[in-house]
Each structure stands twice: as structure tokens, then as C-alpha cells.
Amino acid sequence: MKHVISPLDLSVDELDAVLSLAEKIIDHPENYKTVCQGKKLATLFYEPSTRTRLSFEAAMLNLGGNVLGFSSADSSSASKGESVADTIRVISSYADICAMRHPKEGAPLVAAQYSSIPVINAGDGGHNHPTQTLTDLLTIKKLKGRLNNLTIGLCGDLKFGRTVHSLIRAMIRYDNVKFVMISPDELRIPDYLRTEVLDAQNIPYKEVNVLEPVMPELDLLYMTRVQRERFFNEEDYIRLKDSFILNAKKMKYAREDMLVLHPLPRVNEISTEIDDDPRAVYFKQAQYGVYARMALIMTLLGLDGDGLC
Amino acid sequence: MLNISGLKNGVVIDHIQAGGAFEIYNYLNLDKEDDCSVAIIKNAKSNKTGKKDMIKIEGPIRADLDILGALSPNLTINIIKDGTIVEKRHLSLPETVTNILKCRNPRCITSIEQELPHKFKLADKNTGIYRCIYCEQRYSNRS
Ligand SMILES: [Zn+2]
């Protein structure tokens, strides 16, 4: 049985299959509305994340399946001290597949070791969030038509932003991918990512502090939030935050076909004035998140076979 | 040349990363080895790495020493019989180790579930870096 705990748990071939299925679902969702009839998805959320939970539940409902679960640790047996291992053993007899969100890193891996149903990591602390990465890849593939030959801009908090780290690890598996990292010096990517991943595999990248001059090079720009609490003092935050806010003025430097992605929720790092720009695809990205999860659920349940097109 | 003066039958654990001797002492439960006399040498001079720790043990030792590579890469084990070194072992690094290294990441699931085994995987053979299988944090014997 297959679990998806880290974004790299799916090989490039497996990922291709899931993404192709997701693209077929986008084109003809009506063909899939009963494929999970009689199946149940358990959403085990030890911390609230309404957006991710609803995305999983919408995915299962779209496939004709049912959902059950809990949305915070207080409403689960964890508040009585039950271990993740015991919880998943019990849930395995109630449901066919589960999505787990947990504040502690590695909790979904523990669950996978004791589970008799597929476990999907729906976010474990600041560690992994593979369905976000899957969503990002689906958005790029569907809207760019490819995952290779891309120059990818990553902007904002590149130090603590796990979505960015996962995206880098996932994208370097494709040919001719380059990165342009735009961040304050304090929030550059961690050293291990530079040495153990990028340098180790000779991936071209550059690190800059200003967005405008590099905009024309980018095929896509992945924005993340720069949080006030990441700065030592208010002055630095005020001085730097505007450099990393995307607005209509900066978008003028971008190519006609550059895409703007963002894992959402946004605060102020993308000005609402560009929401109607066709290059701003972050709401579409959120919608694709449901399709990506539908494809993943079907694949892990072994329902991706022939006869469904 | 390794100085084994005073040792007749026993073991010298050499080339321990400076500062790492106590962890090995504790792991081997040397305080409970009543038939052994044990000497810890901290910050000895080393040609290879500048500074190193050593542990000299006189007497029969029961613990499995081969697992120690995970605690301190480059460590060597010298078996002493009748006052001479009869065997010098360079330890290879085990692929995985269970309940030898402890994950100290407060965000790791092992920090709240005490019964979980602490498991580490060898991430890089050349540098001897181990990472926790749960949180992927790199093992460090400092702090
Ligand atoms: Zn850990």
C-alpha cells in the first residue's frame, strides 16, 4: 500500500500519472462523480486548517465518496492522550483512506507505519505538505503545458517557507529548470538547501534582493508571505516589506505569459489590484488543489485504472 | 602512535569527536561495568582533526561496540591483549540506527510521544550525517 508523506514519495512517473489524471478530471469532472461511491475519507486534523480540510472533503465529495473526521485536537481522542499509532489503527477500520494534519513533524509518517489504509500527509508542522506541492505542479503543468524548461522566481520568505523548499525539491527533477530567489538577506533559503540540493545537483540559481530587474526573465513567480515576526525589529520589516509586495507597477515588467502563484492565504504581499490580471492564477491554483487531491485519492485507492477517461 | 600505557587487556575507543566521549560513556553504560576501569581523555591532540576524545577501558566489556560509528564518525576501536594492539577496527556507518541517537527537535513527534523509537537514517556517507526519519532534522551531538 502506498502512502504520501513527503512530496518526493511519488516518483516522476507516478507523479506524471497523477497529474495526467488530474488534467482529465479538470476537463471532464462529470465522468468521475461516482468513482468513490461507498468509500470514506477520514480527515484527521490535529490542528485547524479549514482551507486544506475543505479541499480534501470537496475532493472526496466530488468523487461520490463520503467524509468523516475531526478538525482540531480537542475534538479528538488525542486530547485524552491517545497516541497517533492507536488512533490510526482504529480509524483504519472506519475509513478507506485518510488525510492527516498534525502540528508535530513526522506524525503522518508514524501513522503510515501503523495504518492499514493509505495515509496522505495534509501538513505536519513546518515540515511537509505534499498536496500543496502537487497542487503547484498541477497548476504549472496545466497552465504552462510543461514542467521542464522553466525559470522560476521564488519571492518572499524563502527561509521558513516550506512550500518553497518542497517546490524546489520537486522541480529539480525536471530538465532545464532555473531558480531566481528574491528575498531579504535575512530570509534567504537555508544553507542545507543551497549545498545539499542545488549545488549538489548543479542547478542554476541566483539570489537577489529586488524584484523588478529580474521580472522579465521569469516564466512564473511564486509569491510567499513575509511575516512581521520573522524580523528582529520593526524598522527592518517596514523598510523591506514593500520590496516584496507584488503590485500592478511591478507586473509591468513581467512577460505576457508569466504566471503568478501563491499558496494562499495571502495577507498583503500581493496587491488586490492585480487579481483581475489574467496572469494572476492563485485562485485557480486553489481550485486545482481540489482536482489534484481527487486524482491522488483515486490513485491511492487503486481507482485510476482503465475505463475512466 | 597510540599510547596504551597502563592497559593490559581491554579496549581503546579512539578518534571520538571532541566533546563526544560522555555520550559514548553513557550509551555503553560504562558506569555499570563494575569489572572495568575506565579513563576518559578529553581534548587530546590529534594529527587528523586537531582535537579528539578517547576512552580507555581495562577489563572485559560486554557492550556491542560496532554501533558506535553512528555516534561519532571516524571513530576507531583498538582491542588490546597482553599490552599490545591485536586489532584495529574502523567502523562503517550503519544505514539506520534505532534508539541510539536521540532527536532533540522540539517540533518532532518524538517530543510528545515518548514510546516512539528514535530512528535515524544515514543521509550522507562522507560526512556521517544522520537525519531523524520523522522530522528529518540532522543529528547533532552538541546541545
Ligand atoms: Zn525528529
Side-chain angles (χ1 to χ4, degrees), chain A residues 105, chain B residues 103-105 108-110 120 132-137:
Chain A
E105 301 172 5
Chain B
C103 182
R104 298 190 180 96
N105 175 3
C108 181
I109 183 69
T110 55
F120 281 74
C132 171
I133 64 160
Y134 306 106
C135 67
E136 295 178 89
Q137 184 121 131

